[in-house]
Amino acid sequence: MTATAYGNLVRHAFKSDFDWDTATIKAMLTTASYTFDKDHEFRSSVTSGEASGTGYTAGGISLTGVASSYDSTNNWTAIDADDAAFGTVTLAAVTGMVLYVSVGSAATDILISYHSFASQSPSAVPFTYQFDAAGIGKFPV
């Protein structure tokens, strides 16, 4: 599994387009039809590659336990959340997950990061993406 931040994320954070501690952070699943591009800015760049299937809701799920912290020893801000639990789903060839800040619509929702993984095809089973110990990501300051 690899995770990569989208390039415009920090710009939006500096513009105060959202507050990590109060924003609704969502996770959506993608298939191989989505090609990651670091320059993608809004969820509308991803929707054509979003997974679809039984038990999965377009736009994905809201993450719980989202929290930010500052590490003054290593000079970074860390963002973490509870693992992304999508419930019982039947999906074909899921290859990634996109995290985004829900602002109101696909055209305005701000992309955070793309998490790629080996193709998964859950069939009527719970599907959960487990964040590693570092959480969603660490951003140097």
Side-chain angles (χ1 to χ4, degrees):
M1 296 182 289
T2 60
T4 307
Y6 287 96
N8 284 290
L9 173 63
V10 172
R11 183 175 67 82
H12 282 284
F14 281 136
K15 287 174 42 180
S16 298
D17 287 343
F18 64 91
D19 178 340
W20 284 114
D21 295 323
T22 59
T24 299
I25 308 298
K26 296 189 86 171
M28 63 186 275
L29 298 172
T30 60
T31 65
S33 65
Y34 172 65
T35 301
F36 171 76
D37 183 334
K38 193 171 190 73
D39 295 331
H40 284 164
E41 185 171 2
F42 300 106
R43 184 168 58 96
S44 55
S45 299
V46 182
T47 54
S48 64
E50 185 174 11
S52 65
T54 304
Y56 180 80
T57 301
I61 60 165
S62 295
L63 296 180
T64 59
V66 177
S68 63
S69 62
Y70 176 65
D71 179 338
S72 61
T73 302
N74 296 300
N75 296 316
W76 62 50
T77 295
I79 309 301
D80 199 4
D82 297 336
D83 293 339
F86 290 89
T88 300
V89 296
T90 298
L91 302 166
V94 175
T95 58
M97 181 180 71
V98 171
L99 301 183
Y100 65 94
V101 180
S102 179
V103 177
S105 71
T108 59
D109 292 342
I110 302 163
L111 298 179
I112 298 172
S113 58
Y114 175 68
H115 302 251
S116 64
F117 47 82
S119 183
Q120 306 285 317
S121 295
S123 180
V125 296
F127 186 82
T128 299
Y129 180 89
Q130 183 176 6
F131 293 110
D132 65 23
I136 292 173
K138 292 180 180 177
F139 304 94
V141 291

